[in-house]
Each structure stands twice: as structure tokens, then as C-alpha cells.
């Protein structure tokens, strides 16, 4: 089962999941040209991920960008994850700071 991690993400995520024997793949998250969430890219990549994939999400204060989805975007991401029967792995290191 592949795990999809955001691009960019915390530097140790890749090493941790590879060391655990997981197939690490990326999904678009941040657009450095606009300094905003690449929402359309994120949705497209999660739609294209094989059903039942693991999706790593930062609960808040995305590391390293600090860019988080809006409440409406979170709802749409959640709905897509349910539709695709994906499994969520939350990194919530900065909860309470954002």
C-alpha cells in the first residue's frame, strides 16, 4: 500500500516511511509561485491515487509551509478520502500553535 505525503513536507517523513518499508509517493500541496495551497493539484493527485492508499495530512500549521486548507477545503478533502477508501495518517505536531 503506498503512502502519499505532501510536497513539500517535513524532511524526516520520507526517511521514516521508507525505513518502515512503505512505498512513498508525493501529492501536490503547496504552490510556491502563489504562496498558497495547491488545492486543485492536491485533489487531482488524491483522486489519481490507488483506492485504499494511505494519505499523510498535517492537521494544522503544515510543516514547512504553514499553509492549511480552509474548512470548506477540508470537507472536500475528507469527502474524497471517503469516496476513495483511503486511510488517513495525521501529523499533528503543531496542534494548538496555529
Amino acid at each position: 500500500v503506498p503512502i502519499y505525503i505532501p510536497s513539500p513536507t517535513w524532511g524526516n517523513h520520507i526517511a521514516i516511511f521508507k525505513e518502515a518499508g512503505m512505498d512513498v509517493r508525493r501529492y501536490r500541496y503547496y504552490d510556491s509561485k502563489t504562496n498558497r495551497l495547491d488545492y486543485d493539484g492536491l485533489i487531482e493527485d488524491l483522486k489519481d491515487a490507488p483506492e485504499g492508499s494511505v494519505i499523510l495530512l498535517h492537521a494544522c500549521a503544515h510543516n514547512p509551509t504553514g499553509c492549511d486548507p480552509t474548512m470548506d477545503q477540508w470537507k472536500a478533502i475528507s469527502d474524497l478520502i471517503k469516496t476513495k477508501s483511503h486511510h488517513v495518517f495525521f501529523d499533528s505536531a503543531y496542534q494548538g500553535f496555529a
Side-chain angles (χ1 to χ4, degrees):
V1 174
I3 183 166
Y4 283 79
I5 61 174
S7 182
T9 194
W10 180 55
N12 287 337
H13 280 150
I14 297 167
I16 289 168
F17 293 116
K18 281 187 176 182
E19 185 65 26
M22 299 186 81
D23 175 14
V24 177
R25 302 180 188 180
R26 307 298 285 259
Y27 66 87
R28 288 172 281 178
Y29 186 85
Y30 185 71
D31 183 343
S32 61
K33 293 176 187 160
T34 63
N35 290 327
R36 296 192 174 176
L37 178 70
D38 182 358
Y39 178 73
D40 292 336
L42 181 155
I43 292 296
E44 183 178 342
D45 291 346
L46 296 189
K47 281 182 182 176
D48 290 345
E51 190 167 313
S53 294
V54 177
I55 311 298
L56 174 72
L57 297 170
H58 295 235
C60 67
H62 177 269
N63 183 1
T65 69
C67 180
D68 296 325
T70 66
M71 291 304 289
D72 289 338
Q73 290 170 333
W74 272 121
K75 174 74 170 106
I77 292 166
S78 175
D79 290 344
L80 172 58
I81 286 171
K82 290 176 195 172
T83 298
K84 293 284 295 195
S85 299
H86 291 324
H87 306 279
V88 177
F89 186 103
F90 279 107
D91 177 342
S92 58
Y94 298 108
Q95 195 158 357
F97 289 106

XYZ file of all heavy atoms in Angstrom:
786
model
N 0.852 -1.182 0.000
C 0.000 0.000 0.000
C 0.892 1.238 0.000
O 1.750 1.386 0.873
C -0.929 0.029 1.240
C -1.706 1.319 1.312
C -1.858 -1.165 1.248
N 0.696 2.141 -0.949
C 1.509 3.351 -0.961
C 1.051 4.358 0.090
O -0.110 4.377 0.477
C 1.295 3.910 -2.367
C -0.032 3.390 -2.792
C -0.190 2.053 -2.103
N 1.997 5.183 0.536
C 1.666 6.330 1.380
C 1.984 7.581 0.584
O 3.053 7.702 -0.003
C 2.401 6.327 2.735
C 1.929 7.526 3.578
C 3.911 6.303 2.568
C 2.310 7.449 5.041
N 1.028 8.480 0.523
C 1.191 9.749 -0.179
C 1.481 10.837 0.839
O 0.731 10.994 1.807
C -0.076 10.082 -0.971
C -0.183 9.273 -2.240
C -0.618 7.952 -2.211
C 0.194 9.814 -3.459
C -0.687 7.199 -3.372
C 0.123 9.067 -4.624
C -0.316 7.767 -4.569
O -0.375 7.022 -5.725
N 2.568 11.552 0.622
C 2.948 12.642 1.516
C 2.951 13.939 0.726
O 3.197 13.943 -0.484
C 4.312 12.379 2.193
C 5.422 12.251 1.162
C 4.248 11.132 3.057
C 6.805 12.126 1.765
N 2.666 15.061 1.392
C 2.594 16.326 0.666
C 3.964 16.787 0.188
O 4.986 16.461 0.783
C 2.009 17.299 1.686
C 2.332 16.713 3.014
C 2.362 15.224 2.821
N 3.935 17.551 -0.881
C 5.152 18.169 -1.404
C 5.010 19.679 -1.301
O 4.138 20.249 -1.960
C 5.358 17.759 -2.862
O 6.561 18.308 -3.353
N 5.791 20.295 -0.411
C 6.840 19.747 0.454
C 6.253 19.186 1.748
O 5.074 19.335 2.030
C 7.711 20.961 0.745
C 6.744 22.110 0.786
C 5.715 21.765 -0.272
N 7.128 18.560 2.519
C 6.749 18.048 3.828
C 7.958 18.119 4.755
O 9.055 18.482 4.326
C 6.205 16.614 3.740
O 5.556 16.286 4.977
C 7.290 15.606 3.444
N 7.754 17.752 6.003
C 8.838 17.690 6.976
C 9.880 16.716 6.450
O 9.553 15.605 6.012
C 8.264 17.248 8.311
C 9.236 17.130 9.438
C 10.084 18.094 9.903
C 9.436 15.992 10.266
N 10.800 17.630 10.963
C 10.424 16.317 11.219
C 8.884 14.725 10.317
C 10.857 15.451 12.184
C 9.310 13.854 11.276
C 10.291 14.215 12.209
N 11.132 17.077 6.491
C 12.199 16.318 5.880
C 12.310 14.871 6.322
O 12.690 14.007 5.532
N 11.963 14.563 7.557
C 12.107 13.202 8.057
C 10.985 12.257 7.634
O 11.127 11.042 7.772
C 12.224 13.202 9.586
C 13.570 13.702 10.037
O 14.546 13.658 9.296
N 13.633 14.194 11.253
N 9.877 12.798 7.127
C 8.775 11.920 6.739
C 9.213 10.871 5.727
O 8.890 9.682 5.867
C 7.611 12.721 6.143
C 6.747 13.357 7.167
N 6.073 14.534 6.938
C 6.422 12.995 8.434
C 5.375 14.863 8.008
N 5.574 13.939 8.929
N 9.940 11.291 4.714
C 10.345 10.360 3.660
C 11.176 9.226 4.246
O 10.894 8.050 4.008
C 11.105 11.097 2.544
C 10.182 12.115 1.874
C 11.661 10.115 1.517
C 10.896 13.108 0.975
N 12.179 9.573 5.016
C 13.067 8.554 5.599
C 12.318 7.622 6.538
O 12.535 6.402 6.515
C 14.221 9.229 6.329
N 11.445 8.161 7.362
C 10.698 7.335 8.322
C 9.857 6.295 7.595
O 9.892 5.106 7.928
C 9.808 8.221 9.225
C 10.675 9.025 10.204
C 8.771 7.381 9.963
C 9.918 10.121 10.932
N 9.111 6.721 6.590
C 8.213 5.789 5.915
C 8.965 4.817 5.005
O 8.576 3.652 4.893
C 7.123 6.545 5.160
C 6.185 7.259 6.086
C 6.099 8.635 6.092
C 5.405 6.550 6.990
C 5.245 9.300 6.954
C 4.555 7.202 7.867
C 4.470 8.582 7.847
N 10.049 5.262 4.397
C 10.858 4.337 3.600
C 11.500 3.285 4.497
O 11.533 2.104 4.150
C 11.924 5.090 2.801
C 11.383 5.730 1.560
C 12.496 6.320 0.710
C 11.913 6.873 -0.583
N 12.958 7.422 -1.457
N 12.002 3.705 5.645
C 12.619 2.769 6.591
C 11.598 1.728 7.080
O 11.948 0.586 7.366
C 13.217 3.524 7.774
C 13.983 2.672 8.754
C 15.255 2.041 8.178
O 15.836 2.596 7.225
O 15.655 0.974 8.685
N 10.337 2.146 7.132
C 9.265 1.232 7.541
C 8.836 0.315 6.390
O 7.929 -0.506 6.556
C 8.068 2.027 8.044
N 9.485 0.460 5.234
C 9.196 -0.404 4.098
C 8.021 0.039 3.251
O 7.512 -0.740 2.441
N 7.595 1.284 3.415
C 6.440 1.775 2.661
C 6.864 2.354 1.317
O 7.978 2.840 1.153
C 5.678 2.807 3.492
C 5.146 2.244 4.794
S 4.112 3.389 5.688
C 2.577 3.162 4.785
N 5.945 2.299 0.376
C 6.116 2.880 -0.954
C 5.722 4.357 -0.856
O 4.532 4.685 -0.844
C 5.228 2.132 -1.947
C 5.228 2.734 -3.337
O 6.099 3.575 -3.657
O 4.331 2.360 -4.118
N 6.713 5.242 -0.748
C 6.458 6.668 -0.530
C 6.238 7.375 -1.864
O 7.063 7.301 -2.769
C 7.634 7.331 0.228
C 7.390 8.821 0.392
C 7.837 6.660 1.578
N 5.108 8.038 -1.956
C 4.761 8.830 -3.137
C 4.385 10.229 -2.683
O 4.121 10.454 -1.511
C 3.611 8.178 -3.904
C 3.952 6.751 -4.346
C 2.828 6.118 -5.090
N 3.092 4.694 -5.334
C 2.263 3.903 -5.967
N 1.109 4.366 -6.429
N 2.573 2.634 -6.145
N 4.347 11.177 -3.615
C 4.057 12.578 -3.265
C 2.733 13.032 -3.867
O 2.314 12.534 -4.904
C 5.173 13.487 -3.794
C 6.594 13.107 -3.387
C 6.838 13.155 -1.906
N 6.955 14.476 -1.388
C 8.083 15.089 -1.087
N 9.225 14.482 -1.258
N 8.092 16.297 -0.597
N 2.104 13.978 -3.194
C 0.977 14.688 -3.794
C 1.257 16.183 -3.699
O 1.947 16.648 -2.794
C -0.371 14.311 -3.160
C -0.579 14.704 -1.714
C -1.069 15.965 -1.374
C -0.322 13.809 -0.687
C -1.279 16.316 -0.050
C -0.540 14.143 0.632
C -1.020 15.405 0.947
O -1.229 15.745 2.254
N 0.759 16.905 -4.680
C 0.965 18.353 -4.695
C 0.236 18.984 -3.512
O -0.892 18.609 -3.195
C 0.463 18.953 -6.006
C 1.358 18.621 -7.178
C 0.749 19.048 -8.471
N -0.262 18.035 -8.848
C -1.026 18.114 -9.917
N -0.951 19.159 -10.720
N -1.892 17.159 -10.201
N 0.916 19.927 -2.880
C 0.328 20.589 -1.718
C 0.482 22.102 -1.785
O -0.473 22.829 -1.551
C 0.955 20.068 -0.415
C 0.268 20.637 0.801
C -0.868 20.035 1.305
C 0.720 21.798 1.409
C -1.542 20.562 2.389
C 0.057 22.344 2.498
C -1.074 21.724 2.983
O -1.743 22.271 4.049
N 1.654 22.567 -2.093
C 1.962 23.996 -1.984
C 2.437 24.531 -3.328
O 3.237 23.913 -4.000
C 3.058 24.185 -0.937
C 3.405 25.611 -0.632
C 2.530 26.425 0.073
C 4.624 26.144 -1.026
C 2.852 27.733 0.373
C 4.961 27.457 -0.724
C 4.071 28.238 -0.025
O 4.396 29.524 0.271
N 1.919 25.720 -3.677
C 2.343 26.398 -4.900
C 3.237 27.569 -4.503
O 2.758 28.583 -3.992
C 1.121 26.892 -5.679
C 1.482 27.537 -7.000
O 2.658 27.907 -7.213
O 0.570 27.678 -7.836
N 4.528 27.424 -4.713
C 5.479 28.460 -4.289
C 5.333 29.746 -5.101
O 5.763 30.809 -4.649
C 6.917 27.937 -4.385
O 7.223 27.590 -5.717
N 4.713 29.677 -6.263
C 4.502 30.889 -7.072
C 3.422 31.785 -6.469
O 3.492 32.993 -6.565
C 4.139 30.515 -8.503
C 5.279 29.846 -9.248
C 4.857 29.413 -10.632
C 5.991 28.612 -11.245
N 5.533 27.777 -12.342
N 2.420 31.178 -5.843
C 1.329 31.951 -5.250
C 1.404 32.006 -3.729
O 0.631 32.729 -3.104
C -0.039 31.348 -5.642
O -0.129 30.020 -5.098
C -0.228 31.315 -7.154
N 2.326 31.212 -3.146
C 2.431 31.084 -1.685
C 1.115 30.624 -1.068
O 0.721 31.078 0.004
C 2.887 32.397 -1.042
C 4.325 32.696 -1.359
O 5.137 31.794 -1.492
N 4.633 33.972 -1.524
N 0.467 29.698 -1.760
C -0.813 29.178 -1.296
C -0.897 27.679 -1.512
O -0.114 27.088 -2.245
C -1.965 29.844 -2.043
C -2.031 31.312 -1.748
C -3.277 31.911 -2.216
N -3.247 33.295 -1.727
C -4.140 34.169 -1.993
N -5.156 33.868 -2.752
N -4.042 35.379 -1.494
N -1.894 27.108 -0.910
C -2.199 25.705 -1.109
C -2.494 25.447 -2.586
O -3.241 26.202 -3.216
C -3.432 25.333 -0.273
C -3.946 23.910 -0.378
C -2.978 22.936 0.279
C -5.319 23.808 0.274
N -1.916 24.395 -3.129
C -2.238 23.959 -4.488
C -3.423 22.999 -4.378
O -3.291 21.791 -4.539
C -1.028 23.289 -5.140
C -1.284 22.855 -6.570
O -2.419 23.039 -7.072
O -0.358 22.301 -7.179
N -4.578 23.573 -4.085
C -5.762 22.769 -3.819
C -6.145 21.899 -5.013
O -6.424 20.706 -4.854
C -6.921 23.687 -3.409
C -8.195 22.941 -3.166
C -8.360 22.162 -2.024
C -9.250 23.005 -4.077
C -9.531 21.459 -1.802
C -10.426 22.305 -3.858
C -10.555 21.535 -2.724
O -11.714 20.834 -2.510
N -6.158 22.474 -6.202
C -6.546 21.700 -7.387
C -5.581 20.543 -7.624
O -6.008 19.426 -7.950
C -6.617 22.600 -8.628
C -7.748 23.609 -8.553
O -8.732 23.370 -7.819
O -7.652 24.643 -9.241
N -4.273 20.784 -7.456
C -3.287 19.721 -7.611
C -3.443 18.645 -6.565
O -3.343 17.445 -6.858
N -3.704 19.050 -5.328
C -3.912 18.108 -4.229
C -5.087 17.191 -4.541
O -4.975 15.959 -4.452
C -4.155 18.895 -2.938
C -4.383 18.130 -1.637
C -3.992 18.997 -0.453
C -5.793 17.654 -1.475
N -6.206 17.779 -4.924
C -7.411 16.994 -5.225
C -7.155 16.049 -6.397
O -7.515 14.859 -6.346
C -8.608 17.927 -5.508
C -9.031 18.662 -4.224
C -9.779 17.161 -6.113
C -9.541 17.768 -3.107
N -6.529 16.536 -7.436
C -6.233 15.703 -8.600
C -5.358 14.506 -8.218
O -5.619 13.364 -8.616
C -5.555 16.528 -9.683
C -5.269 15.758 -10.949
C -4.632 16.610 -12.033
O -4.711 17.852 -11.969
O -4.041 16.011 -12.954
N -4.317 14.770 -7.427
C -3.408 13.697 -7.036
C -4.083 12.667 -6.130
O -3.840 11.467 -6.268
C -2.159 14.264 -6.366
C -1.277 15.022 -7.343
O -1.469 14.911 -8.566
O -0.384 15.748 -6.862
N -4.935 13.115 -5.208
C -5.622 12.162 -4.336
C -6.664 11.357 -5.110
O -6.890 10.181 -4.816
C -6.263 12.862 -3.143
C -5.307 13.552 -2.162
C -6.045 14.023 -0.926
C -4.132 12.675 -1.797
N -7.272 11.971 -6.122
C -8.199 11.228 -6.991
C -7.456 10.153 -7.768
O -7.975 9.064 -7.988
C -8.888 12.173 -7.979
C -10.029 12.952 -7.406
C -10.677 13.819 -8.470
C -11.811 14.643 -7.901
N -12.390 15.561 -8.908
N -6.229 10.468 -8.206
C -5.447 9.538 -9.013
C -4.767 8.441 -8.190
O -4.313 7.442 -8.750
C -4.380 10.296 -9.811
C -4.972 11.139 -10.924
O -6.158 10.945 -11.284
O -4.248 12.023 -11.441
N -4.688 8.618 -6.877
C -4.048 7.610 -6.020
C -4.882 6.334 -6.021
O -6.117 6.396 -6.041
C -3.909 8.149 -4.597
N -4.230 5.188 -6.008
C -4.992 3.931 -5.977
C -5.910 3.869 -4.759
O -5.554 4.334 -3.673
C -3.910 2.854 -5.877
C -2.646 3.503 -6.309
C -2.777 4.952 -5.999
N -7.079 3.305 -4.951
C -8.034 3.170 -3.860
C -7.389 2.469 -2.673
O -6.638 1.507 -2.832
C -9.251 2.374 -4.332
C -10.387 2.385 -3.351
C -11.681 1.877 -3.945
O -12.032 2.308 -5.059
O -12.319 1.054 -3.281
N -7.643 3.003 -1.474
C -7.113 2.406 -0.259
C -5.702 2.839 0.095
O -5.088 2.253 0.985
N -5.189 3.866 -0.583
C -3.857 4.387 -0.259
C -3.869 5.056 1.113
O -4.928 5.439 1.622
C -3.417 5.415 -1.305
O -3.240 4.817 -2.567
N -2.697 5.209 1.692
C -2.538 5.971 2.934
C -2.192 7.400 2.540
O -1.326 7.625 1.693
C -1.424 5.376 3.823
C -1.217 6.227 5.072
C -1.747 3.938 4.191
N -2.867 8.366 3.158
C -2.645 9.771 2.865
C -2.160 10.460 4.133
O -2.875 10.485 5.139
C -3.935 10.465 2.366
C -4.612 9.667 1.245
C -3.646 11.910 1.970
C -3.807 9.498 -0.022
N -0.960 11.012 4.095
C -0.444 11.772 5.225
C -0.947 13.207 5.120
O -0.746 13.874 4.096
C 1.086 11.778 5.232
C 1.712 12.666 6.303
C 1.531 12.051 7.684
C 3.175 12.901 6.028
N -1.610 13.662 6.163
C -2.096 15.040 6.237
C -1.533 15.698 7.490
O -1.448 15.061 8.542
C -3.630 15.073 6.307
C -4.385 14.508 5.106
C -5.866 14.391 5.432
C -4.174 15.400 3.882
N -1.168 16.960 7.375
C -0.758 17.743 8.541
C -2.035 18.350 9.111
O -2.773 19.037 8.406
C 0.207 18.855 8.127
C 1.512 18.345 7.601
N 2.711 18.748 8.130
C 1.817 17.491 6.604
C 3.707 18.157 7.475
N 3.172 17.390 6.540
N -2.319 18.093 10.384
C -3.567 18.551 10.989
C -3.695 20.073 10.990
O -4.778 20.613 10.786
C -3.689 18.010 12.414
N -2.594 20.768 11.220
C -2.585 22.229 11.195
C -1.139 22.694 11.123
O -0.221 21.927 11.392
C -3.280 22.820 12.414
S -2.421 22.501 13.962
N -0.952 23.938 10.747
C 0.384 24.537 10.666
C 1.319 23.654 9.836
O 2.371 23.241 10.284
C 0.962 24.795 12.049
N 0.893 23.368 8.609
C 1.655 22.484 7.714
C 3.138 22.819 7.763
O 3.543 23.975 7.632
C 1.141 22.630 6.282
C 1.908 21.810 5.297
N 3.001 22.306 4.637
C 1.753 20.534 4.891
C 3.485 21.360 3.838
N 2.734 20.278 3.975
N 3.946 21.779 7.984
C 5.402 21.943 8.058
C 5.998 21.496 6.728
O 5.806 20.355 6.337
C 5.937 21.076 9.202
C 7.417 21.214 9.424
O 8.086 21.972 8.750
N 7.933 20.460 10.365
N 6.658 22.353 5.985
C 7.288 23.601 6.386
C 6.584 24.873 5.917
O 7.106 25.957 6.096
C 8.651 23.504 5.706
C 8.343 22.849 4.396
C 7.250 21.855 4.720
N 5.387 24.785 5.325
C 4.804 25.975 4.685
C 3.927 26.813 5.605
O 3.752 28.002 5.357
C 3.958 25.572 3.465
O 2.780 24.883 3.905
C 4.748 24.721 2.497
N 3.312 26.204 6.623
C 2.362 26.926 7.463
C 1.031 27.140 6.774
O 0.149 27.783 7.319
N 0.865 26.600 5.594
C -0.337 26.798 4.779
C -1.323 25.655 5.034
O -0.965 24.491 4.868
C 0.091 26.838 3.308
S -1.257 27.069 2.165
N -2.525 26.004 5.424
C -3.540 24.996 5.728
C -4.766 25.167 4.838
O -5.094 26.287 4.432
C -3.994 25.117 7.185
C -2.875 24.839 8.168
O -2.031 23.972 7.879
O -2.852 25.490 9.224
N -5.485 24.066 4.574
C -6.750 24.181 3.839
C -7.786 24.967 4.647
O -7.734 24.983 5.883
C -7.203 22.726 3.670
C -5.971 21.904 3.861
C -5.129 22.669 4.837
N -8.738 25.558 3.933
C -9.879 26.191 4.593
C -10.809 25.095 5.108
O -10.665 23.920 4.754
C -10.658 27.090 3.613
O -11.247 26.239 2.602
C -9.774 28.149 2.971
N -11.785 25.461 5.903
C -12.746 24.472 6.401
C -13.491 23.807 5.242
O -13.713 22.595 5.259
C -13.726 25.113 7.376
C -13.082 25.537 8.700
S -12.240 24.189 9.565
C -13.613 23.216 10.107
N -13.881 24.591 4.229
C -14.565 24.016 3.067
C -13.654 23.061 2.303
O -14.097 22.008 1.826
C -15.071 25.118 2.132
C -16.250 25.884 2.705
O -16.947 25.354 3.603
O -16.490 27.017 2.252
N -12.380 23.406 2.193
C -11.430 22.526 1.521
C -11.216 21.245 2.315
O -11.154 20.157 1.735
C -10.101 23.252 1.279
C -10.197 24.334 0.228
C -8.965 25.218 0.161
O -8.238 25.392 1.161
N -8.723 25.803 -1.001
N -11.121 21.353 3.645
C -11.000 20.149 4.480
C -12.192 19.224 4.251
O -12.044 18.002 4.167
C -10.909 20.509 5.960
C -9.534 20.784 6.475
C -9.096 21.947 7.052
C -8.413 19.887 6.510
N -7.782 21.817 7.422
C -7.338 20.569 7.101
C -8.225 18.575 6.086
C -6.088 19.982 7.286
C -6.977 17.990 6.258
C -5.929 18.689 6.855
N -13.376 19.792 4.166
C -14.586 18.984 3.945
C -14.490 18.243 2.616
O -14.784 17.037 2.549
C -15.820 19.894 3.970
C -17.120 19.217 3.603
C -17.647 18.321 4.696
C -19.054 17.854 4.397
N -19.152 16.469 3.990
N -14.073 18.934 1.557
C -13.949 18.299 0.246
C -12.859 17.231 0.245
O -13.026 16.155 -0.353
C -13.679 19.356 -0.823
N -11.742 17.499 0.925
C -10.664 16.505 1.035
C -11.185 15.276 1.769
O -10.951 14.135 1.350
C -9.438 17.120 1.752
C -8.793 18.204 0.878
C -8.427 16.036 2.121
C -7.802 19.096 1.619
N -11.904 15.481 2.854
C -12.480 14.383 3.627
C -13.440 13.559 2.779
O -13.396 12.320 2.794
C -13.195 14.939 4.851
O -13.858 13.919 5.556
N -14.303 14.231 2.042
C -15.261 13.525 1.192
C -14.546 12.681 0.144
O -14.934 11.532 -0.107
C -16.203 14.515 0.501
C -17.176 15.185 1.459
O -17.344 14.694 2.600
O -17.762 16.213 1.066
N -13.497 13.222 -0.464
C -12.742 12.486 -1.471
C -12.061 11.259 -0.851
O -12.077 10.165 -1.425
C -11.707 13.395 -2.134
C -10.718 12.720 -3.085
C -11.437 12.008 -4.220
C -9.740 13.739 -3.628
N -11.475 11.450 0.316
C -10.801 10.338 1.001
C -11.796 9.210 1.298
O -11.493 8.034 1.109
C -10.075 10.851 2.262
C -8.817 11.618 1.826
C -9.738 9.708 3.210
C -8.121 12.359 2.937
N -12.979 9.572 1.738
C -14.009 8.555 1.993
C -14.407 7.845 0.700
O -14.526 6.615 0.667
C -15.242 9.197 2.632
C -15.028 9.654 4.044
C -16.279 10.352 4.550
C -15.995 11.134 5.801
N -17.139 11.977 6.202
N -14.614 8.618 -0.360
C -15.012 8.054 -1.650
C -13.985 7.057 -2.169
O -14.338 6.012 -2.723
C -15.225 9.180 -2.687
O -16.277 10.030 -2.232
C -15.567 8.636 -4.063
N -12.704 7.365 -1.989
C -11.623 6.516 -2.489
C -11.192 5.436 -1.485
O -10.279 4.670 -1.756
C -10.404 7.380 -2.841
C -10.595 8.320 -4.015
C -10.555 7.596 -5.348
C -9.179 7.015 -5.573
N -8.902 6.600 -6.929
N -11.844 5.389 -0.330
C -11.497 4.428 0.731
C -10.028 4.533 1.134
O -9.384 3.523 1.452
C -11.829 2.989 0.299
O -13.210 2.854 0.049
N -9.502 5.767 1.107
C -8.133 5.998 1.557
C -8.081 5.922 3.084
O -9.106 6.020 3.766
C -7.630 7.383 1.109
C -7.419 7.522 -0.356
N -6.958 6.513 -1.171
C -7.585 8.598 -1.182
C -6.846 6.948 -2.411
N -7.222 8.200 -2.442
N -6.882 5.764 3.606
C -6.638 5.749 5.051
C -5.806 6.980 5.385
O -4.825 7.262 4.712
C -5.878 4.480 5.454
C -6.559 3.244 4.980
N -7.623 2.680 5.643
C -6.342 2.477 3.883
C -8.020 1.612 4.989
N -7.265 1.460 3.913
N -6.191 7.701 6.424
C -5.511 8.948 6.781
C -4.514 8.702 7.905
O -4.812 8.013 8.886
C -6.516 10.025 7.201
C -5.805 11.295 7.644
C -7.479 10.332 6.064
N -3.338 9.296 7.750
C -2.313 9.323 8.793
C -2.078 10.799 9.080
O -1.609 11.531 8.209
C -1.034 8.653 8.272
C 0.038 8.498 9.316
C 0.262 7.266 9.910
C 0.832 9.572 9.697
C 1.259 7.112 10.869
C 1.823 9.433 10.645
C 2.038 8.193 11.232
N -2.446 11.263 10.282
C -2.295 12.677 10.629
C -0.979 12.945 11.345
O -0.625 12.242 12.285
C -3.434 13.149 11.544
C -4.702 13.480 10.821
C -5.792 12.635 10.904
C -4.807 14.627 10.056
C -6.970 12.931 10.247
C -5.981 14.934 9.391
C -7.063 14.080 9.484
N -0.292 13.973 10.892
C 0.841 14.546 11.616
C 0.278 15.780 12.309
O -0.090 16.753 11.651
C 1.960 14.927 10.648
C 3.134 15.606 11.341
O 2.977 16.086 12.482
O 4.211 15.682 10.726
N 0.185 15.731 13.622
C -0.404 16.861 14.364
C 0.599 17.475 15.333
O 0.267 17.808 16.470
C -1.675 16.416 15.094
O -1.387 15.362 15.980
N 1.819 17.653 14.871
C 2.889 18.154 15.721
C 2.653 19.559 16.254
O 3.122 19.894 17.336
C 4.215 18.113 14.952
N 1.936 20.392 15.509
C 1.809 21.798 15.908
C 0.395 22.168 16.325
O 0.051 23.340 16.356
C 2.286 22.708 14.770
C 3.749 22.456 14.461
C 4.136 21.795 13.298
C 4.729 22.836 15.347
C 5.460 21.546 13.028
C 6.062 22.583 15.090
C 6.407 21.937 13.926
O 7.735 21.687 13.667
N -0.412 21.195 16.670
C -1.758 21.490 17.102
C -1.722 22.386 18.330
O -0.985 22.130 19.264
C -2.513 20.199 17.407
C -3.993 20.409 17.514
C -4.758 19.135 17.278
O -4.182 18.100 16.986
N -6.053 19.203 17.402
N -2.499 23.437 18.290
C -2.518 24.400 19.379
C -1.646 25.620 19.112
O -1.764 26.632 19.794
N -0.781 25.547 18.106
C 0.087 26.679 17.784
C -0.421 27.466 16.578
O 0.116 28.514 16.259
C 1.519 26.203 17.483
C 2.229 25.719 18.725
C 2.428 24.372 18.932
C 2.667 26.623 19.681
C 3.060 23.916 20.070
C 3.300 26.176 20.821
C 3.499 24.814 21.030
N -1.411 26.951 15.877
C -1.892 27.628 14.665
C -3.296 28.167 14.883
O -4.044 27.693 15.666
C -1.880 26.668 13.487
